[in-house]
Amino acid sequence: MAPNSNKYLRNDTGLAYLFNSPLIIITLIFVFIPVVGTLVTGFYRDVTFMPNKFLGLANYERLFEDIHFWQSIQFTVLFVTVSVMFELFFGMIFALILNETFPGRGILMIAILIPWAIPNAISARIWELIYNFEYGIFNFLVIHSGLSAAPVNWLGSPISAFFSIVISDVWKTTPFVTVILLAGLSTIPKQLYEQAMIDGTNILQRFSKITLPLLKPVIVVALLFRTIDAVRIFDLIYVLTGGGPGGSTTSISLYAFKYYLNGDFGYGSAISVIVFLVASGLAILYLKVGKFTEMIK
Amino acid sequence: MKKKYLKWLIILLLMLIGIQCGNSSEQFTIWIGGSPRELDYWQQIITEFNKQTGYNLQLVRQPTYSDQRRQSLVIDLEAKQPNPDLFLMDVVWLNQFAASNWLQPLDKYVKDNDFQLHQFFQSILNSVDKYKGNLYALPVFLDVALLYYRKDLLEKFGYSEPPKTWSELLNEADKIQKIERKNNPNFYGFLWEGAQYEGLVCTFLEFTSSHGGGIMNNGKVDLYRKSNIEALQFMQDLIHKYKISPPSTYTEMKEEEVRLSFQRGNALFERNWTYAWKLHQSNGSPVKGKVGLTILPHFKGDSSVSTLGGWHIGISRYSDEKEKAWKFVKFITSFKSQKKLILNVGWNPSRKDVYKDKQVIAEAPQIKELYYVLKHTIARPTVPYYSQLSDIIQRYVNDCLSGKISPSTALQKMQNQIKEVEKIYGTE
Amino acid sequence: MSEKKLKKLLIYSGAFFMFFFCITPFVWMIIVSLSEHPDFLSSNVKFIFTLNNFVQVLTSRSVHLLAYLKNSIVISSVTAIITTFLAGLSAYAITRLKFPGKIIIPMALLGFSMFPQISIVGYLFKLLTMFGWINTYPALIFPYITLGLPLALWIMLSHFSQISTDFDNAALVDGATRFQILLKVIFPIALPGAFSTFILVFIYSFNEFLFALMFTIDYHARTIPVGIALFEGLHGQIPWGYIMAAAVVATLPVIILIALFQRFIIKGITEGSIKG
């Protein structure tokens, strides 16, 4: 036994900090400072064309009375729930399929990552083109198949705009969920299934008794990050609807962006903090339900 | 073992630092956005400027979208950076930038003997380029909204001139639409921008101001008045009652949608900015040679207006090359440069003398009408929190256009919400 | 055995649906990039095949698309490698070593990632100008690392926590150091996770827009998403042909990367499931 390893077995803490140090340092400098800055700014009137003033909770009080803010919260929560539900559903199915061997699986694997690979701004534009009133594919198909006599204005009413955005987002990010779930699926040993098949179980039983429980950690990860990203959704909506019609598709991030653009950093920061709180709330919910933290101890 | 680990870390770090292949910020820069073609032309202008002066002005390209350009500038100027030295600003940001103390006052520079301040449109300088009495920017190019019309169709139906009032327009559009629909079911009488975006504030401003109303009244926001209610009602009726404008007006119609539809021959009248003219007259355009342009109509008893658009140039207060920057401002607003701009990229000059130049008139005859319209422009509210106002106005006007709320309700709500905004941002 | 047949049917029909679901908008993008007029689906415009869009986009002197591509690839690769490595380090420490406050790290990272990017941009900008990094690769690499770390850490955590410590103990008995164990024992087993992490972080960095817009000035460090934004015309005149052509150029390297890695992932998957 080399003398070195003994030293480290006894001094776990030192080694742990060593291993963690790059991550900690980078995070402290590039994330922690800006985040603290944002928190602090939320308590001030920080408007580029007005003198700064300490406001205490005034920004938050103003948020409380702000109907547009609540509208954006409502939209965001709804959007997050519906999108993530669909993404999890499709992601699971896709991952299950990709976990099997069949000819053309490699090609499918590539195909599945294409939506995710396309830059956000581009995919938003592609969908904008697809939804286009005059020459988009959807209207082309709808009219030529006789489903409707007149072209549909997909992005024109709050409900259809909402679902149009959801479809675009689901298309774009289901690959993300799929990849994570697939990596998790691949660590489940095939023997377990073989044994269960011999024992005479059917597909559904195998899925619920073997697959789901073993997948729980990755499902939680996927859910967690999809939710956080969905709460902060910005690019897609900015391009597709700009937050309309009537502000009905304005997400909280988009709402915050408007204030930053106009030079009101204080209010924008306060909104950002709320985004953080909403996302945290959901995250804590997932973690409690998924009992994830126990895994680490 | 610690050594091996450290070795990896150091390699990584070196990799990172070694990849530092980028330039540190240039010394003398200008930030401009636009289409690649326009930026190519800007580069030409700047190269010529550099040749003449021996300076080294660098062009930094921004994306085309107004918001993205503003975002970069806001962050940069808040951080008090010495670059950019110069930048272009949309006319609606001017007040925000001036009020935020980011612009260098130009008063002492324009007193130069060789700078002909009187050649600029004084009403425009006074309404948008000045802040608390000082001059902070100069217009580089101006934009106005026009009424485009199908000459051929009007002639065919016996109208020798484009309509002067909204009721005339309504009559003509209604009559002609009924007949043209027989051949072309997509035909509409009047296309204009009604989607929920900044452009809607412009159309709203035009309709209301041409009825004796408008957004501001004696320096204060005054939306809830009879003239505005009637004007907004007219806008709503165009879509739902008279049906000479399509329902897509309030869901989709922005500049390009309007232009494309008109260009395909699907409309009699169009309200759009000056850029549409060149495209309508381009080769392959189905309406080439059939289009006329004039000032927008007004309501009987009032006068026509157009919203003022365009881009202005300013010098950063934090610039470290202010003298050189001023030389460029002089250069770009000079007669020579302005003439080149209109002849090469179709940008409407900010100086009056170019509008009178024979060559310009010959090659761009629409300039005469533009000159007239430029004397009848109205600016959107010049307050630093204009964007908030715009958001509120957009929202409720669009809701009204879609038929959800009445004009009266819309205007009242707008007024109330704007009062709230003024309370927050108006204390100076 | 009808269950097997049913399963096969489900898989094939599912795969079919998947394929079309993912591919169609992408194919649409390619078609438009090869078309003279983007609005060829409306009544009076025809589809005309042309390569002109690509020519214009690749040779445009004012938009150095290929330079942007190079920047994007380098920045994303470096970010992905470092992020995966650092995440692996920390995940190892958290799942294998005893130390106080271990739960804080993933939680804090998660918490920070919940702030909208727009709120962080201003401060980061000031920081980066202080370092003099604006318009250089590090200006994007470091922020991207922080963007990717939360996800990378959690993925690695969920994988490492499934790997039994027997492996570590066996290697420790053989006299290996922790670092060696991480590199030579754990990483190989967690290969699917590591590759997933790498690809996800790579793609995320490749497509990021806001930071790229704010922290770079010209083609020395600008990335593809910003480059594509520079193609759009005024008044929302969107030159669809050019944009789609640029998009095809932009997504090609990522697709090639995926095509290459896809074999490794499947390899990692099949090997992973053999280990019982």
Side-chain angles (χ1 to χ4, degrees), chain A residues 9 12-13 15-17 19-20 22-23 26-27 29-32 34-35 37-38 41 90 94 97-100 102-103 105-119 122 125-130 134-137 140 171 176 179-180 182-183 186 188-191 202-203 206 214 217-218 221 224-225 228 232 253 257 260 272 275-276 279-280 283 287 292-293 295-296, chain C residues 3 7 11-12 14-15 17-19 21-23 25-26 28-29 32 38-39 41-42 86 89-90 92-94 97-100 102-103 105 107 109-116 118-120 123-124 127-128 131 133 142 146 149-151 154-155 157-159 161-162 172 178-179 192 196 200 203-204 207 228 232 238 240 244 247 251 254-255 258-259 262 266 269 272-276:
Chain A
L9 273 175
D12 263 5
T13 317
L15 188 68
Y17 284 134
F19 273 24
N20 281 316
L23 179 145
I26 293 185
T27 306
I29 301 179
F30 295 96
V31 184
F32 185 65
V35 163
T38 303
T41 309
F90 282 116
F94 290 0
I97 293 179
L98 279 175
N99 202 26
E100 306 285 331
F102 54 89
R105 179 193 189 194
I107 299 184
L108 195 59
M109 184 78 205
I110 301 177
I112 224 279
L113 281 175
I114 285 182
W116 183 243
I118 300 182
I122 305 283
R125 290 249 168 261
I126 297 180
W127 282 99
E128 193 188 355
L129 195 53
I130 293 179
E134 283 203 24
Y135 44 81
I137 302 189
F140 180 74
W171 179 79
F176 171 86
V179 166
I180 296 187
L182 184 60
S186 67
I188 301 178
K190 282 225 157 66
Q191 285 93 307
N202 64 33
I203 287 190
R206 290 201 292 276
L214 287 175
V218 278
V221 172
L224 204 55
F225 284 91
I228 293 177
R232 301 182 312 163
S253 261
F257 175 77
Y260 278 101
S272 302
V275 172
F276 164 73
S280 311
L287 292 178
F292 196 75
T293 48
M295 217 173 305
I296 301 183
Chain C
E3 189 185 278
K7 185 173 176 186
I11 290 182
Y12 278 115
F17 169 73
M18 249 173 93
F19 188 73
F21 177 75
C22 296
I23 283 281
F26 179 66
W28 178 241
M29 169 176 114
V32 173
D39 50 346
L41 278 188
S42 82
L86 293 187
L89 273 179
S90 294
Y92 186 81
I94 293 176
L97 304 172
K98 276 202 172 74
F99 63 97
K102 54 159 66 173
I103 199 70
I105 296 180
M107 285 312 193
L109 238 53
L110 193 64
F112 296 154
S113 73
M114 296 182 193
F115 281 85
I118 188 74
S119 59
I120 307 186
Y123 295 102
L124 266 182
L127 216 61
L128 292 171
F131 294 163
W133 282 355
F142 281 100
T146 62
L149 269 177
L151 179 66
W154 280 74
I155 292 182
L157 274 178
S158 68
H159 274 87
S161 62
Q162 305 279 60
L172 280 173
R178 289 288 193 180
F179 192 59
S196 316
L200 289 172
I203 293 180
Y204 193 83
N207 296 339
I228 292 181
E232 311 191 329
I238 303 176
W240 289 111
M244 293 308 168
T251 42
V254 183
I255 293 182
I258 294 173
Q262 159 268 122
I266 294 194
I269 289 174
S273 52
I274 290 178
K275 290 191 168 51

Side-chain angles (χ1 to χ4, degrees), chain A residues 13-22, chain B residues 1-2 5-6 9, chain C residues 89:
Chain A
T13 317
L15 188 68
Y17 284 134
L18 191 67
F19 273 24
N20 281 316
S21 52
Chain B
M1 128 61 225
K2 211 170 181 175
Y5 175 66
L6 280 175
L9 266 182
Chain C
L89 273 179

Side-chain angles (χ1 to χ4, degrees), chain A residues 215-237:
Chain A
L215 267 190
K216 205 150 70 157
V218 278
I219 292 184
V220 172
V221 172
L223 215 56
L224 204 55
F225 284 91
R226 264 318 301 150
T227 305
I228 293 177
D229 266 352
V231 169
R232 301 182 312 163
I233 183 143
F234 175 77
D235 288 8
L236 184 66
I237 302 189

Side-chain angles (χ1 to χ4, degrees), chain C residues 173-216:
Chain C
V173 162
D174 285 345
T177 65
R178 289 288 193 180
F179 192 59
Q180 285 172 325
I181 297 177
L182 173 63
L183 279 187
K184 303 219 168 105
V185 178
I186 305 294
F187 253 113
I189 300 180
L191 216 51
F195 273 121
S196 316
T197 307
F198 178 87
I199 286 194
L200 289 172
V201 175
F202 181 90
I203 293 180
Y204 193 83
S205 314
F206 198 80
N207 296 339
E208 200 281 332
F209 180 73
L210 188 63
F211 286 179
L213 178 65
M214 299 290 174
F215 303 153
T216 64

